[in-house]
């Protein structure tokens, strides 16, 4: 017990230390547009067990952090369970083994009980006194979330203890399974009536009609609001023996004992079986308001896949419930109270047509590749419409020498070539990659455009997260000339052309991509205009050196490696050929097992030398972000912009970056609300007790001269094929000069690899 008490105390002190950076400034926008809530006030945020998306639900730190990280008027929700000695405790689940370590403390305590007509097995609070539960600690009930805070050994809190900890904050008590407690000679009604005499309870919710009807008379003259909680439409409410779907049609009946309703979010915005929003919202919000009922939406979490319409952006989902021109819910029940606080306080009722090209500069990554296949017309159109400042084209060369926008030189990465008649053209080219591929220079432009379909990129497929499946093969490929013509007509500040593998293409394919890019820019008039700034990007310094010699375009050097800093001499070298530098996220905020360790000095070193810095690649999927960013892409963007002070961001989701630039809190200065301040770097890791600390991160290297300087590009000379052309397939071979380092696979090997390619590509179709 001494050790348990120590870690509890240490954790609380660390929370206070971590939270000191976050001021308690509220988020009220002067002159905010009227809300379409029942009262006309801003919607409220109800923290489900505190900040339970990170800490174990209903723990002391979860409650404290919800108040500091979210808006100052955040309401704390406690799911009340009764102990054997009739004490109300806050627990996220009726079964204690789903939210505590009770199974290891009382291994013989498993019981079978009838709960709402269903036999349920587990550990239950009705079998233990409060004294018994002092030995039990709270744990994270969602197993996909980090377990590291479980070792802080958070005690189970009574309702009175929660009220004392967060004195002055609003409290929401959710009461479920009243019938179950009565079966064990415990009275939830008596407990609620008793506790309300000593604790200010602002809201009481329950999914049981009889329970609310039994207490409504006692609260009619109080400020406590009674809320009827709807469960799934097909679930039967035990008091009336009607389904919740049926009760939803009789809101006038609900009004006789409640002032509001709490519904799962899909009651308002229905979702299809393949996880897309239906064409329109239901009328439930307006129906509730007509009856004089407030309506709260529940089931909001940041760390699951939400409907694809939101592009993995949880804030966009909140906005759709409060700022859609038709209705606004009166509040949200959420595991991540920071995100709805942002939505309500800074991102609602903003000018969505504003378009400034100031910092942070938004640079697309293969267009809006989070929503459509890379570098297709759909991806570029969406990037422009979503507010990108600069759109990008990574150029590849086809067999007939045409420059085309594609995110990879290997067609297997971004097309269905593995399922096409060209799958036999697979070859090994170690200079390009360690695995076999079918490369853009193996096919003509006509073969690509007429026979292949694009495949959407799925960087998090290992987590079983895929992007926009209805449109996973949609769109058309663009040549560089098409891209340049498209961009000239758009409201952009510039374009970026990315050139890689230039030396290989010269030596082995006989194609100078640099010459082709310059010609295309000249042919489309970019060399004679100033409206759109042209930037050439490469990770090969020799490309940028040659571009600086031959053009006046801006140049961006991309550093592929994760580094902690750059030597002064290497920065001096970069200054000779680049205006901008692109660095990956880990080079700014390195992390270990999703916990940020520290901030490097790299940004300051580069900016002090006069170089502008872009960070890549920002994505909305929650698994792409350290836990410090709370599964919220805006916390991540804000930390790089306000914390690290980057000049630009490179993103798969330009819409989120543009929404960030439009938010109304960006220029509030000292009045900036806490949830719009950058997180304390490494602060979350400090909250993890020693036994649960993630592995120590090995030091990242420093960028040296030898990492930057490349030999000059070779001259272009014709190359000849090394193997016969397959019948009716055009020249699919690798040039002779690379014969010693690469190979066309033998028929048997080719067949085996082709089968593997087909199997691998099936995940995208």
């Amino acid at each position: 017990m001494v050790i348990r008490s120590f870690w509890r105390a240490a954790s609380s002190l660390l929370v206070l230390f971590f939270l000191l950076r976050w001021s308690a400034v509220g988020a009220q926008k002067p002159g905010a547009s009227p809300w379409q809530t029942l009262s006309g006030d801003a919607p409220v945020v109800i923290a489900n067990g505190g900040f339970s998306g990170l800490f174990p639900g209903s723990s002391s730190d979860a409650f404290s952090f919800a108040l500091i990280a979210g808006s100052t008027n955040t309401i704390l929700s406690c799911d009340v369970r009764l102990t054997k000695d009739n004490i109300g405790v806050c627990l996220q689940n009726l079964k204690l083994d789903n939210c505590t370590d009770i199974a290891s403390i009382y291994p013989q305590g498993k019981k079978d009980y009838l709960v709402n007509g269903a036999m349920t097995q587990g550990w239950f609070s009705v079998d233990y006194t409060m004294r018994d539960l002092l030995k039990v600690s709270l744990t994270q009930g969602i197993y996909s979330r980090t377990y590291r805070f479980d070792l802080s050994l958070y005690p189970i809190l009574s309702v009175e203890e929660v009220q004392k900890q967060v004195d002055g904050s609003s409290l929401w008590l959710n009461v479920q399974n009243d019938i179950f407690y009565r079966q064990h000679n415990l009275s939830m009604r008596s407990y609620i009536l008793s506790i309300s005499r000593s604790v200010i309870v602002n809201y009481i919710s329950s999914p049981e009609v009889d329970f609310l009807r039994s207490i409504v008379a006692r609260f009619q003259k109080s400020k406590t609001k009674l809320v009827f909680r709807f469960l799934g439409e097909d679930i039967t409410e035990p008091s009336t023996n009607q389904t919740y779907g049926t009760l939803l049609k009789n809101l006038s009946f609900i009004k006789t004992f409640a002032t509001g309703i709490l519904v799962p979010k899909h009651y308002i915005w229905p979702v299809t079986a393949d996880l897309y929003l239906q064409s329109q919202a239901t009328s439930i919000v307006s129906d509730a308001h007509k009856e004089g009922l407030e309506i709260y939406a529940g089931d909001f979490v940041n760390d699951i896949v939400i409907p694809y319409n939101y592009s993995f952006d949880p804030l966009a989902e909140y906005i759709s419930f409060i700022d859609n021109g038709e209705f606004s819910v009166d509040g949200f029940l959420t595991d991540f109270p920071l995100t709805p606080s942002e939505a309500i306080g800074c991102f609602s009722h903003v000018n969505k047509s504003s378009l400034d090209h100031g910092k942070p500069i938004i640079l697309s990554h293969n267009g809006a590749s989070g929503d459509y296949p890379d570098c297709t017309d759909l991806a570029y159109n969406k990037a422009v419409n979503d507010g990108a400042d600069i759109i990008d084209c990574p150029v590849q060369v086809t067999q007939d020498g045409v420059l085309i926008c594609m995110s990879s030189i290997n067609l297997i990465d971004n097309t269905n070539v593995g399922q096409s008649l060209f799958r036999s053209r697979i070859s090994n080219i170690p200079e390009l990659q360690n695995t076999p591929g079918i490369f853009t220079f193996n096919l003509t432009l006509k073969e690509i455009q007429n026979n292949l379909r694009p495949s959407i990129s799925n960087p998090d497929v290992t987590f079983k997260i895929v992007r926009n499946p209805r449109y996973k093969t949609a769109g058309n490929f663009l040549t560089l000339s098409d891209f340049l013509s498209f961009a000239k007509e758009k409201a952009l500040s510039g374009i970026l052309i990315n050139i890689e593998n230039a030396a290989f293409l010269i030596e082995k394919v006989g194609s100078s991509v640099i010459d082709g890019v310059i010609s295309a820019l000249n042919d489309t008039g970019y060399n004679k205009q100033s409206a759109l700034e042209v930037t050439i990007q490469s990770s090969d310094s020799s490309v940028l050196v040659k571009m600086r010699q031959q053009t006046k375009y801006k140049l961006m050097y991309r550093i592929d490696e994760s580094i902690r800093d750059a030597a002064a001499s290497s920065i001096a070298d970069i200054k000779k050929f680049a205006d901008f530098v692109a660095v990956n996220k880990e080079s700014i905020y390195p992390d270990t097992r999703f916990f940020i360790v520290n901030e490097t000095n790299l940004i300051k070193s580069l900016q002090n030398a006069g170089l502008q810095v872009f960070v890549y690649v920002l994505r909305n999927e929650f698994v792409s972000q350290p836990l410090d960013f709370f599964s919220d892409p805006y916390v991540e963007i804000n930390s790089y912009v306000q914390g690290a002070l980057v000049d630009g961001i490179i993103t798969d989701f330009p819409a989120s970056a543009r929404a960030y630039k439009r938010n109304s809190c960006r220029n509030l200065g000292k009045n900036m609300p806490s949830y719009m301040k950058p997180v304390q770097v490494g602060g979350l890791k400090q909250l993890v007790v020693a036994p649960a600390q993630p592995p120590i991160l090995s030091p990242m290297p420093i960028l040296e001269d030898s990492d930057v300087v490349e030999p000059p590009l070779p001259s272009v000379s014709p190359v000849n094929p090394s193997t016969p052309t397959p019948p009716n397939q055009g020249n699919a071979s690798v040039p002779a000069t690379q014969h010693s380092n690469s190979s066309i696979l033998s028929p048997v090997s080719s067949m085996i690899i082709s089968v593997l390619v087909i199997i691998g590509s099936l995940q995208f179709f």
Side-chain angles (χ1 to χ4, degrees):
M1 288 298 292
V2 173
I3 295 176
R4 292 164 63 87
S5 300
F6 169 77
W7 287 126
R8 287 170 181 165
S11 178
S12 298
L13 289 172
L14 285 169
V15 166
L16 291 174
F17 171 76
F18 179 49
L19 298 180
L20 285 176
R21 178 183 174 97
W22 297 53
S23 69
V25 178
Q28 291 296 326
K29 297 178 298 181
S33 301
W35 292 96
Q36 293 177 287
T37 56
L38 182 64
S39 66
D41 296 330
V44 298
V45 177
I46 308 141
N48 181 29
F51 210 119
S52 55
L54 186 62
F55 299 98
S58 299
S59 65
S60 56
D61 285 354
F63 285 129
S64 296
F65 196 68
L67 295 176
I68 300 298
S71 59
T72 53
N73 58 353
T74 296
I75 300 165
L76 299 179
S77 170
C78 160
D79 287 289
V80 184
R81 318 290 177 186
L82 291 180
T83 64
K84 189 175 183 178
D85 47 348
N86 205 44
I87 294 176
V89 294
C90 297
L91 290 166
Q92 296 295 97
N93 201 293
L94 178 68
K95 295 174 57 177
L96 273 64
D97 46 313
N98 284 353
C99 58
T100 75
D101 62 357
I102 195 168
S104 61
I105 304 299
Y106 299 108
Q108 306 302 318
K110 184 185 291 187
K111 297 287 184 64
D112 291 291
Y113 287 130
L114 199 64
V115 180
N116 289 342
M119 190 58 67
T120 306
Q121 187 178 78
W123 282 256
F124 300 87
S125 60
V126 296
D127 294 319
Y128 302 91
T129 66
M130 190 64 190
R131 183 178 181 85
D132 296 331
L133 294 180
L134 291 176
K135 302 176 183 179
V136 178
S137 299
L138 296 168
T139 60
Q140 177 56 256
I142 307 298
Y143 300 139
S144 59
R145 294 173 179 166
T146 182
Y147 68 89
R148 296 186 186 278
F149 295 110
D150 294 356
L151 273 70
S152 295
L153 304 178
Y154 296 107
I156 295 173
L157 300 176
S158 67
V159 174
E160 293 92 336
E161 288 172 324
V162 172
Q163 194 273 336
K164 289 177 183 178
Q165 179 182 336
V166 296
D167 188 29
S169 300
S170 296
L171 187 61
W172 180 305
L173 300 183
N174 182 56
V175 175
Q176 296 192 205
N177 310 115
D178 175 51
I179 296 173
F180 170 75
Y181 291 110
R182 279 190 273 140
Q183 291 170 346
H184 292 269
N185 298 316
L186 296 169
S187 174
M188 187 64 80
R189 177 183 184 275
S190 297
Y191 173 77
I192 291 296
L193 295 179
S194 174
I195 195 70
S196 64
R197 297 187 185 100
S198 58
V199 172
I200 297 176
V201 181
N202 305 86
Y203 299 82
I204 299 172
S205 64
S206 177
E208 297 176 32
V209 170
D210 278 359
F211 173 75
L212 291 176
R213 295 177 73 178
S214 73
I215 65 173
V216 62
R218 295 290 298 269
F219 288 98
Q220 280 182 337
K221 296 182 179 180
S222 74
K223 294 183 179 180
T224 302
K225 296 182 178 182
L226 302 187
V227 179
F228 181 62
R229 183 170 191 168
F230 283 81
L231 305 181
E233 296 98 323
D234 298 329
I235 296 176
T236 299
E237 193 280 320
S239 309
T240 62
N241 205 32
Q242 297 182 52
T243 65
Y244 287 98
T246 300
L247 288 171
L248 188 65
K249 300 173 184 177
N250 194 0
L251 292 179
S252 58
F253 168 64
I254 305 299
K255 178 62 177 172
T256 63
F257 58 84
T259 60
I261 59 175
L262 169 61
V263 300
K265 61 185 179 182
H266 73 266
Y267 273 44
I268 301 170
W269 274 111
V271 179
T272 63
D274 59 344
L275 207 58
Y276 287 85
L277 295 177
Q278 292 188 8
S279 57
Q280 59 184 19
T282 67
S283 62
I284 183 175
V285 176
S286 59
D287 293 344
H289 285 172
K290 286 176 184 177
E291 290 291 342
L293 290 165
E294 292 183 317
I295 179 168
Y296 307 91
D299 297 343
F300 284 88
V301 296
N302 290 7
D303 54 352
I304 62 169
V305 177
I306 57 179
Y308 293 108
N309 309 69
Y310 299 122
S311 302
F312 301 95
D313 183 342
L315 189 144
E317 182 179 32
Y318 286 108
I319 291 292
S320 73
F321 284 80
I322 58 174
D323 185 14
N324 53 49
E326 300 291 332
F327 63 82
S328 172
V329 298
D330 298 279
F332 298 104
L333 179 65
T334 174
D335 290 6
F336 292 83
L338 180 146
T339 305
S341 297
E342 293 173 321
I344 295 165
C346 302
F347 288 80
S348 57
H349 306 120
V350 299
N351 181 4
K352 296 177 182 176
S353 62
S354 64
L355 188 68
D356 77 273
H357 294 308
K359 295 180 181 179
I361 299 168
I362 303 169
L363 171 56
S364 74
H365 180 242
N366 307 320
S369 56
D371 293 296
Y372 293 108
D374 297 359
C375 304
T376 57
D377 54 346
L378 294 177
Y380 287 128
N381 266 304
K382 192 168 196 308
V384 172
N385 294 335
D386 287 349
D389 297 309
I390 302 171
I391 58 174
D392 67 308
C393 168
V395 290
Q396 313 298 342
V397 62
T398 65
Q399 189 182 71
D400 47 345
V402 179
L403 296 184
I404 188 170
C405 298
M406 279 197 171
S407 57
S408 174
I409 196 171
N410 183 7
L411 292 166
I412 293 174
D413 293 339
N414 49 28
T415 76
N416 68 329
V417 70
Q419 293 180 310
S420 75
L421 56 91
F422 305 114
R423 60 181 177 269
S424 62
R425 300 192 185 184
I426 197 164
S427 61
N428 273 321
I429 306 181
E431 296 98 322
L432 295 179
Q433 60 186 49
N434 296 325
T435 56
I438 303 172
F439 303 96
T440 57
F441 51 78
N442 292 144
L443 278 73
T444 66
L445 176 64
K446 185 176 181 180
E447 287 174 328
I448 292 173
Q449 290 184 329
N450 293 350
N451 299 281
L452 303 186
R453 289 179 298 156
S455 292
I456 200 166
S457 60
N458 287 299
D460 298 306
V461 70
T462 54
F463 294 95
K464 298 183 179 180
I465 295 177
V466 297
R467 292 172 168 177
N468 203 4
R470 286 186 183 177
Y471 296 90
K472 61 187 177 184
T473 62
N476 300 303
F477 302 113
L478 270 65
T479 65
L480 175 60
S481 295
D482 294 335
F483 170 83
L484 294 174
S485 299
F486 166 85
K488 288 189 77 170
E489 303 172 359
K490 308 304 177 187
L492 298 164
S493 64
I495 60 161
L496 179 142
I497 300 171
N498 183 33
I499 301 174
E500 299 297 336
N501 305 305
F504 171 86
L505 293 170
I506 290 173
E507 291 182 323
K508 311 301 184 182
V509 181
S511 175
S512 172
V513 177
I514 291 177
D515 292 344
V517 167
I518 293 174
S519 295
L521 288 166
N522 292 343
D523 292 344
T524 47
Y526 277 81
N527 60 328
K528 297 179 181 178
Q529 59 84 50
S530 57
L532 290 178
E533 185 173 79
V534 176
T535 302
I536 307 299
Q537 181 192 67
S538 183
S539 61
D540 186 339
S541 62
S542 62
V543 170
L544 302 181
V545 168
K546 188 167 184 179
M547 273 292 183
R548 173 137 292 178
Q549 294 169 350
Q550 298 186 11
T551 72
K552 295 182 180 180
Y553 300 130
K554 295 291 185 179
L555 304 174
M556 180 181 293
Y557 181 55
R558 191 183 76 239
I559 301 173
D560 288 337
E561 301 80 11
S562 294
I563 57 175
R564 70 179 189 272
D565 207 342
S569 55
S570 67
I571 295 176
D573 287 333
I574 294 171
K575 279 280 292 180
K576 296 175 183 177
F577 58 77
D579 306 288
F580 316 118
V581 179
V583 301
N584 63 32
K585 298 191 299 182
E586 293 74 19
S587 294
I588 302 174
Y589 294 133
D591 69 271
T592 172
R593 303 288 173 86
F594 295 96
F595 285 86
I596 292 177
V597 177
N598 63 289
E599 180 178 356
T600 69
N601 199 51
L602 181 61
I603 300 297
K604 291 180 181 178
S605 297
L606 294 170
Q607 289 178 338
N608 287 342
L611 292 162
Q612 294 190 43
V613 182
F614 285 65
V615 58
Y616 70 90
V617 172
L618 272 62
R619 309 202 308 267
N620 285 359
E621 291 95 339
F622 62 92
V623 294
S624 72
Q625 303 154 9
L627 294 172
D628 304 66
F629 299 143
F630 314 125
S631 302
D632 183 330
Y634 296 91
V635 176
E636 180 175 45
I637 293 172
N638 196 48
S639 294
Y640 283 106
V641 173
Q642 284 200 46
L645 302 177
V646 299
D647 300 287
I649 53 180
I650 302 173
T651 176
D652 288 358
F653 297 90
S656 298
R658 176 54 62 182
Y660 172 79
K661 289 181 71 169
R662 288 176 177 151
N663 90 77
S664 59
C665 295
R666 284 189 64 198
N667 300 313
L668 291 182
K670 294 182 179 179
N671 294 320
M672 182 79 67
S674 59
Y675 48 78
M676 285 303 295
K677 293 187 176 182
V679 299
Q680 180 188 353
V681 177
L684 194 63
K685 183 175 177 292
Q686 294 179 52
L687 300 183
V688 179
V689 295
Q693 276 286 319
I696 296 175
L697 185 67
S698 299
M700 296 187 299
I702 292 175
L703 190 72
E704 303 289 353
D705 295 34
S706 57
D707 301 313
V708 175
V709 177
E710 302 281 354
L713 293 174
S715 300
V716 180
S717 58
V719 293
N720 298 311
S722 62
T723 60
T725 300
N728 303 319
Q729 292 188 8
N731 178 12
S733 58
V734 181
T737 51
Q738 75 172 119
H739 185 71
S740 61
N741 294 320
S742 62
S743 62
I744 299 295
L745 299 179
S746 69
V748 174
S749 299
S750 181
M751 180 181 69
I752 295 172
I753 295 296
S754 295
V755 171
L756 293 174
V757 167
I758 293 172
I759 293 173
S761 64
L762 286 177
Q763 63 186 319
F764 302 114
F765 292 88

